[in-house]
Amino acid sequence: MYDIAIVGSGPAGSTLARLIGKKYKVLLIDKRHFTQEYSHKSYEKCCGGLLAPDAQKILAKLGLGIPKDVMVDPQIFVVRTIDLYNKIERFYQRFYFNLDREKFDKWLLSLVPSEVDIRNGCILKDFDKNDNYFNIKIYDSNTKKEYTEKAKILVGADGASSLVRKKAFRTDDISRYISVQEWFKVKEAMPYFSAIFDPTITDFYSWTIPKGEYMLVGSALNIDDNPISKFKLLKNKLDSYGYNLSKVTKKEGAFILRPYKTKNICTGNKDIALIGEAAGWISPSSAEGFSYAFHSAYILAESLKHGLDGFSTRYNKGCNNLKRNIILKNLKSPVMYNKILRKMAMSSGIQSVKLFDSNISDT
């Protein structure tokens, strides 16, 4: 019998396991294998792998520094903002850590104490609850067998498509997008993250991200608005901006949540907790999720310091600041996503930077 079973060992699940693993008997499962044998052959996370300032701040508070082998060149100091609809382009100074997402998750998992029972390559199939504990049905893709474990508390850290949330709570009250992303091999990477806006493609945004000898092109697309054709439209429009998108080396896809209201957030109930994107913790303006994953895991760990009884009330109350943050992000969204307000903001040039001409020759 486990005290706590955590489904998902991404940033939220691994952080929680690291913080509570010596106090409680913890089971941590993830469908990914995290071994060299299965690397890039099983489940991969569709993610841009950029650690924004908010996430850097919470990592600092957690006392963590990122090892260099997790980083990917180049590190990013500027955002190229492209409004395809209004035909305006600006550069804004902002610093991102550029990460290899798989290595980042492996590193976070390596920090989990040995007391935690970690099971990779294991998929949550179902769960039910009796008076005292959960029966958790798990499929082990290593042995091809299904078995059941018992736990007093169940934590869903299993992302936007969370089975824990889907089975125990409503899932039709939050907007869902599909993130489509393709990798392209390039001779020379553009040293910036591009944020691309065009309402004819999506009412969210698209992006390009340099990753060593590759470049990622992605978009958060409306599921019901022919996302494949919209992604093709994005690539066609980027041709005129100097992007060579002829050779695709890899394609990825994943669901993304977009919480327009705090009621879209679900922290759980008396014996189930949701953290990270499973709870709906993700920026509705930028789709940044790392900071919310770390923060929600920390808040839940703090609520568990006082025992299992009443933890959910403490966790929900502890999330009040995160809920206010979601409100502020939604207030910010109209300036980014309203084509008229965005045109006014970008045309003003406020807070933008002008890049120096690097083609200066001797006279």
Side-chain angles (χ1 to χ4, degrees):
M1 168 81 74
Y2 292 92
D3 295 314
I4 300 169
I6 305 171
V7 182
S9 64
S14 288
T15 299
L16 178 63
R18 180 174 68 87
L19 295 173
I20 67 172
K22 293 187 176 181
K23 180 178 176 64
Y24 293 103
K25 186 177 181 183
V26 177
L27 171 66
L28 176 63
I29 70 168
D30 196 291
K31 61 187 178 182
R32 293 171 293 177
H33 291 87
F34 289 115
T35 62
Q36 191 64 37
E37 177 187 356
Y38 288 98
S39 180
H40 301 297
K41 294 179 183 177
S42 58
Y43 303 97
E44 294 183 75
K45 178 68 176 177
C46 177
C47 174
L50 294 181
L51 203 68
D54 286 346
Q56 296 169 31
K57 184 176 180 179
I58 186 65
L59 272 184
K61 289 183 175 181
L62 289 168
L64 297 177
I66 301 173
K68 65 180 180 180
D69 64 341
V70 171
M71 313 289 271
V72 180
D73 290 334
Q75 299 312 303
I76 296 172
F77 299 94
V78 68
V79 177
R80 182 187 188 187
T81 303
I82 303 172
D83 186 333
L84 292 174
Y85 185 84
N86 290 310
K87 294 182 171 56
I88 303 173
E89 181 178 334
R90 290 286 185 269
F91 290 89
Y92 298 92
Q93 195 278 318
R94 203 165 187 231
F95 177 64
Y96 292 88
F97 285 141
N98 199 358
L99 307 170
D100 181 310
R101 177 57 195 270
E102 183 180 20
K103 289 182 179 179
F104 184 59
D105 282 3
K106 284 182 178 179
W107 169 65
L108 290 171
L109 188 61
S110 73
L111 303 178
V112 174
S114 58
E115 290 86 348
V116 173
D117 186 356
I118 301 173
R119 300 187 193 173
N120 295 320
C122 290
I123 302 167
L124 173 68
K125 299 298 290 183
D126 200 0
F127 62 89
D128 58 60
K129 178 75 165 57
N130 65 19
D131 292 338
N132 301 309
Y133 55 83
F134 288 95
N135 292 300
I136 303 167
K137 297 178 182 178
I138 300 168
Y139 173 74
D140 188 332
S141 62
N142 303 291
T143 63
K144 312 297 183 187
K145 293 181 179 179
E146 193 171 297
Y147 60 93
T148 300
E149 295 288 3
K150 295 178 173 56
K152 299 172 186 175
I153 301 296
L154 180 62
V155 177
D158 46 344
S161 300
S162 170
L163 178 60
V164 178
R165 179 168 182 169
K166 189 181 299 182
K167 184 172 172 61
F169 308 98
R170 285 185 59 191
T171 58
D172 60 351
D173 60 344
I174 185 167
S175 296
R176 299 174 84 214
Y177 290 72
I178 185 167
S179 168
V180 178
Q181 187 166 266
E182 293 183 349
W183 292 60
F184 300 86
K185 195 157 189 176
V186 292
K187 292 182 179 178
E188 185 178 355
M190 298 179 180
Y192 39 71
F193 159 47
S194 296
I196 303 160
F197 301 91
D198 187 336
T200 66
I201 296 170
T202 177
D203 62 353
F204 215 166
Y205 82 109
S206 308
W207 58 87
T208 71
I209 301 170
K211 292 282 180 184
E213 60 184 0
Y214 295 93
M215 182 180 68
L216 279 60
V217 176
S219 187
L221 300 161
N222 190 315
I223 296 172
D224 301 318
D225 190 23
N226 202 343
I228 301 303
S229 67
K230 295 293 185 179
F231 189 70
K232 289 180 180 178
L233 176 61
L234 167 66
K235 292 198 293 182
N236 289 336
K237 289 193 173 190
L238 287 177
D239 279 344
S240 61
Y241 280 81
Y243 291 95
N244 182 3
L245 307 179
S246 56
K247 291 188 177 181
V248 181
T249 61
K250 184 167 61 172
K251 297 182 180 182
E252 300 170 328
F255 289 112
I256 297 177
L257 302 182
R258 195 177 189 186
Y260 286 106
K261 311 167 190 173
T262 54
K263 73 176 184 178
N264 296 148
I265 306 298
C266 177
T267 58
N269 58 26
K270 66 182 181 67
D271 45 26
I272 295 178
L274 300 175
I275 56 177
E277 200 175 353
W281 295 123
I282 187 170
S283 170
S285 60
S286 67
E288 188 277 323
F290 283 133
S291 64
Y292 294 96
F294 293 129
H295 212 146
S296 59
Y298 174 76
I299 295 169
L300 179 55
E302 286 293 297
S303 75
L304 288 165
K305 276 187 176 180
H306 307 286
L308 299 180
D309 291 340
F311 83 92
S312 61
T313 301
R314 296 188 294 271
Y315 173 50
N316 187 55
K317 184 178 179 180
C319 287
N320 285 340
N321 283 339
L322 279 187
K323 292 176 183 177
R324 283 190 281 270
N325 183 272
I326 293 291
I327 293 171
L328 291 174
K329 296 289 186 182
N330 274 304
L331 291 174
K332 176 184 176 182
S333 287
V335 178
M336 297 175 63
Y337 294 104
N338 181 286
K339 58 190 178 186
I340 297 173
L341 294 177
R342 183 174 62 246
K343 182 178 181 179
M344 292 172 61
M346 291 183 67
S347 296
S348 73
I350 295 174
Q351 294 188 331
S352 67
V353 297
K354 183 176 177 59
L355 301 190
F356 293 143
D357 184 0
S358 60
N359 297 315
I360 299 175
S361 59
D362 293 334
T363 58

